[in-house]
DNA sequence: CCAACCCGATGACGCGTGTAACCTGGAACG
DNA sequence: CGTTCCAGGTTACACGCGTCATCGGGTTGG
């Protein structure tokens, strides 16, 4: 039962013959004034007198032609852009973060910035920085700041990028850094499991592209906690598919683990389902902890314990970014906090 | 148990005194050649002889200064940009679509384009088009094309945007349209439920910002099917929270429905959990169908039937986009298909 | 010995803006 | 009447880049 014609609605040439862009010179010509006057009127430039009658002629001409200023030319002339670049993959970070990013977009828009996501895949951070630098953004805001280097920062700075704000586990020279240590997430999960009496903890490591940036420090955080207690922490690879999950569940008992931190809630849900299929009981045979505390977590059976992240408010971050761009520096901001929401799975 | 210092790692002024951007003139000066030569070397311009020795001097100077070309100046001069703009909210569309978007990013990058996501919130499509037009992208690609108008398209065209590709349920004048009718999703779900013998179908309508664009046509598609059979279809509001879900489940029997199309898999999972809490049996008391066919769907108990979307390959779309930009027109492309993956919940 | 040619490199222009500096005609003022 | 002043404009320039037209000078050909 396949619905949808799969058909084609329309394919048409949409390039007019002389489809050149409308410029302010066109507006000036139509309004019968100079280009400078057009600029003064449309930008409401202070300190320049233009009669109301002329203003209206200009505005009407602009409307009639559908004039929109060229951001490239404007930034070129101004020497700075109002672009804020967020290098980020859309989906990798999970729903919690994407919602936060949406909020940030709105907050920055209100301050006159145009936020832009760019999800290039670069092995070398310096290559990445070069690609971003070409756009000459006013600021760069990176969520996975731990992939950054001082050299990459230098590339951006030399390209005239005025502010660099990264979320990272350690300060990076030349960048305004906000504490966002994924190790804390792993540590919170591990501490919780230790407090619940578990001693042999597995930590899920997803092999999916881009996730190791988050997974490795989470493992390290758990290991740091393990070093202070008589418990073991070991990495366990798990791809996001049912086959991988049931495979892992089948050989679970051989691993000799009594708890698992499952990277995030989605992997946790996947794994709990596989455990059930393999006849393992949660939390009796194995305790499970997720992360992100999505709605999904509370829906699991048993309900899933999860590490909840408290991100700084998007509004606050937008303010900092603005201050960095305008003044060159900004007050410190409290970073991320992580704590476990305890439910039946652990 | 709160982990994370919430502390501050570093806040520093990162603006050097004369932090102007490095230009090709700087490179020329250092290499002891003209700016034209720098351009020829760095762009490998054909038809111009430059001695290998000079080439190396230029490249070395560029490397030493950390020179990165200014994309704005380049597009200004070239009269066209290599920017492809995707107006899209990051999270709204769900994981299936975000993964697809990531693929598309890569495919376009290989063709030399820089893809950029812009998630502005505009009530008026013409305002939105104006904001996008300022960036003078080579192309605009919109997933929720049904919000578009011919007038908005005109704004973009007058700004010199060479290609406009939208996914929409109906052709839009001036745009290359690919069939992506959310009505087909609702219709597929409804047909499936009718075939399974259900007669009183509810359709979940999420009140969340931005989702009504998808929800309304899905409802309409279901209603279209209902008109051809002795069944009823009625909208049911459900916010994405446990409270809303259990509230709905509590008054479910009063609604007199024997099936529900739950907008997508996440809403379906939420609702199934609430049904269970209210003592309702799935599928005996009520059949449930989701959409997107995420991994999540198969994990539900009972396993969730789901409408699977087959999107055109990202690679193919990238090809079409390139052709539209370069040639002004492109061959038609088959649109989205939808079919139900049947599992235990229906 | 001059013309023809090619190699290697440069000067100058314009893309679309914003703005500092300048211009003009009329009114106010001494 | 000469000067000053102001409202209401305009002219000219620079931002960083790609590229067309040009040029000096060495080699080759007639």
């Amino acid at each position: 039962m396949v619905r949808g014609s799969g058909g084609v609605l329309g394919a048409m040439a949409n390039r007019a013959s002389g489809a050149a862009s409308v410029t302010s010179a066109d507006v000036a010509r139509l309004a019968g004034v100079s280009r400078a006057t057009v600029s003064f009127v449309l930008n409401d430039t202070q300190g320049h007198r233009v009669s109301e009658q002329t203003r209206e002629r200009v505005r009407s001409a602009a409307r009639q032609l559908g004039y929109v200023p060229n951001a490239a030319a404007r930034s070129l002339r101004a020497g700075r852009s109002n672009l804020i670049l967020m290098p980020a993959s859309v989906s990798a970070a999970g729903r919690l973060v994407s919602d936060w990013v949406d909020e940030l977009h709105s907050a920055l828009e209100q301050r006159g910035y145009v936020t832009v996501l760019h999800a290039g895949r670069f092995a070398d951070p310096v290559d990445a920085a070069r690609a971003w630098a070409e756009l000459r953004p006013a600021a760069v805001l990176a969520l996975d700041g731990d992939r950054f280097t001082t050299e990459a920062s230098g590339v951006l700075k030399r390209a005239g990028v005025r502010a660099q704000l990264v979320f990272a586990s350690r300060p990076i020279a030349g960048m305004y850094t906000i504490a966002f240590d994924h190790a804390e997430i792993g540590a919170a999960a591990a501490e919780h499991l230790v407090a619940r009496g578990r001693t042999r903890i597995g930590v899920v490591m997803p092999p999916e592209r881009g996730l190791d940036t988050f997974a490795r420090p989470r493992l390290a955080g758990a290991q740091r906690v393990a070093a202070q207690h008589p418990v073991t922490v070991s990495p366990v690879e798990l791809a996001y598919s049912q086959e991988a999950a049931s495979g892992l569940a089948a050989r679970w008992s051989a691993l000799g683990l009594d708890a698992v931190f499952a990277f995030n809630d989605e992997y946790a849900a996947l794994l709990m389902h596989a455990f059930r299929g393999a006849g393992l009981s949660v939390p009796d045979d194995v305790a499970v902890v997720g992360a992100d505390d999505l709605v999904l977590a509370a829906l699991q059976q048993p309900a899933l314990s999860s590490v909840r992240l408290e991100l700084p408010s998007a509004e606050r971050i937008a303010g900092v970014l603005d201050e960095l761009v305008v003044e060159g520096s900004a007050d410190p901001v409290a970073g991320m906090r992580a704590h476990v929401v305890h439910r039946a799975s652990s």
Side-chain angles (χ1 to χ4, degrees), chain A:
Chain A
M1 179 173 45
V2 171
R3 300 264 339 170
S5 65
V8 174
L9 292 183
M12 46 183 311
N14 59 356
R15 183 125 47 95
S17 39
S21 187
V22 174
T23 78
S24 71
D26 298 326
V27 176
R29 209 169 304 127
L30 180 60
V33 297
S34 77
R35 221 177 41 65
T37 302
V38 171
S39 176
F40 292 143
V41 171
L42 296 184
N43 295 322
D44 258 342
T45 310
Q46 299 303 315
H48 269 274
R49 342 251 162 201
V50 179
S51 72
E52 187 51 46
Q53 166 187 336
T54 305
R55 298 187 105 86
E56 191 42 41
R57 273 222 314 287
V58 169
R59 278 194 285 256
S60 139
R63 215 174 308 124
Q64 185 178 334
L65 294 175
Y67 169 70
V68 175
N70 182 328
R74 176 177 282 183
S75 333
L76 188 59
R77 155 71 213 202
R80 71 202 138 78
S81 75
N82 66 339
L83 224 55
I84 293 196
L85 184 71
M86 289 189 58
S89 168
V90 173
S91 53
R95 179 161 185 152
L96 179 79
V97 173
S98 352
D99 284 348
W100 184 83
V101 168
D102 273 353
E103 276 181 53
L104 188 59
H105 259 73
S106 304
L108 286 169
E109 187 161 52
Q110 262 177 319
R111 289 175 160 78
Y113 294 100
V114 174
T115 311
V116 137
L117 289 187
H118 184 216
R121 280 283 144 205
F122 298 94
D124 182 3
V126 176
D127 286 342
R130 255 195 289 271
W132 307 333
E134 289 195 9
L135 291 176
R136 296 290 192 278
V140 166
L141 188 161
L143 291 177
D144 56 345
D146 283 327
R147 300 191 54 223
F148 259 83
T149 63
T150 304
E151 192 186 353
S153 167
V155 170
L156 292 172
K157 195 176 301 177
R158 277 191 296 273
V161 175
R162 299 167 73 92
Q164 304 184 32
L165 191 158
V166 300
F167 287 78
S169 60
R170 48 181 171 68
I172 303 177
M175 306 196 185
Y176 182 101
T177 315
I178 294 182
F180 190 89
D181 194 349
H182 284 265
E184 298 295 341
I185 299 172
E191 276 192 0
H192 170 76
L193 288 170
V194 168
R196 302 292 301 166
R198 306 290 166 155
T199 57
R200 300 179 309 280
I201 303 171
V203 172
V204 165
M205 305 293 285
E208 274 83 10
R209 185 184 80 168
L211 294 189
D212 58 324
T213 319
F214 307 136
R216 272 205 303 264
R218 291 183 188 195
L219 173 63
Q223 283 168 335
R224 198 181 65 208
V225 169
Q228 299 164 359
H229 297 89
V231 306
T232 65
V233 160
S234 26
V236 179
E237 179 167 316
L238 171 63
Y240 192 64
S241 75
Q242 287 199 72
E243 297 70 38
S246 56
L248 178 57
R251 58 194 168 79
W252 187 262
S253 38
L255 296 176
L257 302 173
D258 62 4
V260 59
F261 170 48
F263 183 66
N264 71 18
D265 291 345
E266 291 181 311
Y267 284 83
L270 178 66
L271 195 49
M272 284 172 72
H273 183 263
F275 282 154
R276 203 179 306 128
L280 290 165
S281 159
V282 174
D284 294 340
D285 296 327
V286 52
V288 180
V289 173
D292 285 3
D293 196 28
L294 303 180
V295 168
L296 172 65
L299 303 183
Q300 300 304 306
Q301 287 192 303
L304 176 66
S305 298
S306 186
V307 181
R308 177 178 256 288
L309 312 187
E310 275 160 34
L311 296 165
S313 89
E315 179 60 35
R316 180 73 200 281
I317 296 301
V320 167
L321 215 33
D322 190 29
E323 216 175 318
L324 279 176
V325 169
V326 174
E327 323 219 351
S329 70
D331 287 342
V333 145
M336 175 211 67
R337 287 164 169 276
H339 69 275
V340 171
V341 177
H342 181 203
R343 298 199 183 89
S345 71
S346 63

